[in-house]
Every structure is written in C-alpha cells, then in structure tokens.
Amino acid sequence: MRVGLGWDVHRLAPGRRLVLGGVVIPYRLGLVGHSDADVLTHAVMDALLGAAGLGDIGLHFPDQDPAYRDACSLELLRCVVTALRREGWKPCQVDTVVLAEKPRLAPYRREMQGNLARAMGLEPGSVGVKATTTEGLGFVGNEEGLAAQAVALLSELSG
Ligand code: MG
C-alpha cells in the first residue's frame, strides 16, 4: 500500500465559477485558474500522484498548455487514475478537507463525494469530504482564496 498527500490553493475573484469536487456552487466569487480551478479535485489528484511516485499535477497537466484551459478537473482526475493503473496501483481510500470561510459547503458535500468517488471507481463511503473555516484568519478567512488538503491510500492492482 502507498499513501500520498495533496494540498492546493486558488484565488477567489468575481466573474469566475466556483467548482468544488465537480459541483458548481452558486456564489458571488469563483476560483481563478487555468482549468476550472477545482481546488478540491486538484488536491486529490496530487495525493494520488504523490502516492504512486508519479510527480504532481503541474507535471502532468501544465498550466501553460492550452489543452487544459477551462478543463474539467474531474476529467483530469480520471486521467490520473488511468496513469496509476498503468503503474499497477488503484485508489483505495481518500480523505479531504476544504478550507473555506464562505459559502457553506455542507449542502453540496454528498454530491462532491459522489463525483470524486465515481471518477476514481470508489464507493462514496471510501471518499471523505469535509469543510472547515479558518475562524476568519488568513487568506481563507479574508475570502482571498480557498485551500484544500487530501490524503490518498493506494493498493496494488493485483492485490
Ligand atoms: Mg490547482
């Protein structure tokens, strides 16, 4: 078995969509990035890649590459799982936490969990999606950005 850690941050700005775990969340601010800037899915991808020793998201999906402009991060997550399988690994369990002052993410938690689980070929119960504020502190508290952390456990495909 292998474990991996992922961490990502994106800026919040008006005029952008807020996409988390593939769910478009209605809010006055959205995340800025080359792709859909889905900070939660990016953290999951980095955790998976790290666990498999396959580098990071920037290596596989460079943000200068026009192919990934406005890309759906759930699609990129599926590509990561394919890359893992080529190396003889499969996702086993993933846990995550999103750091967001606003909006309240609880109403979207199940849908995010389902989207991530489906993209990785896991049962929803094997994917944790949690959210916390930072009590008004720092860039998250000031609503300058959102952050996400993920840990992933991989098992051998043959196992
Ligand atoms: Mg990112």
Side-chain angles (χ1 to χ4, degrees), residues 88-108:
W89 297 103
K90 65 180 178 190
C92 190
Q93 189 201 339
V94 169
D95 193 20
T96 67
V97 59
V98 180
L99 285 76
E101 201 64 30
K102 287 179 193 163
R104 224 174 95 72
L105 299 178
Y108 309 101

Side-chain angles (χ1 to χ4, degrees), residues 51-107:
L54 289 174
D56 63 21
I57 190 171
L59 182 71
H60 291 261
F61 311 103
D63 63 7
Q64 305 88 350
D65 189 331
Y68 303 118
R69 179 178 297 279
D70 298 322
C72 168
S73 296
L74 278 184
E75 287 293 334
L76 304 183
L77 175 57
R78 285 188 197 98
C79 295
V80 165
V81 173
T82 302
L84 251 54
R85 297 184 82 89
R86 273 200 298 269
E87 298 294 316
W89 297 103
K90 65 180 178 190
C92 190
Q93 189 201 339
V94 169
D95 193 20
T96 67
V97 59
V98 180
L99 285 76
E101 201 64 30
K102 287 179 193 163
R104 224 174 95 72
L105 299 178

Side-chain angles (χ1 to χ4, degrees), residues 12 99-102 132-134 136-147:
L12 281 167
L99 285 76
E101 201 64 30
K102 287 179 193 163
T132 185
T133 71
T134 59
L137 299 172
F139 71 86
V140 171
N142 294 330
E143 285 204 81
E144 294 170 71
L146 298 189

Side-chain angles (χ1 to χ4, degrees), residues 100-145:
E101 201 64 30
K102 287 179 193 163
R104 224 174 95 72
L105 299 178
Y108 309 101
R109 195 184 63 80
R110 270 184 185 281
E111 196 179 350
M112 293 191 272
Q113 184 184 30
N115 285 347
L116 291 170
R118 224 172 4 259
M120 291 186 281
L122 289 174
E123 292 299 317
S126 300
V127 180
V129 176
K130 306 184 299 298
T132 185
T133 71
T134 59
E135 301 278 335
L137 299 172
F139 71 86
V140 171
N142 294 330
E143 285 204 81
E144 294 170 71

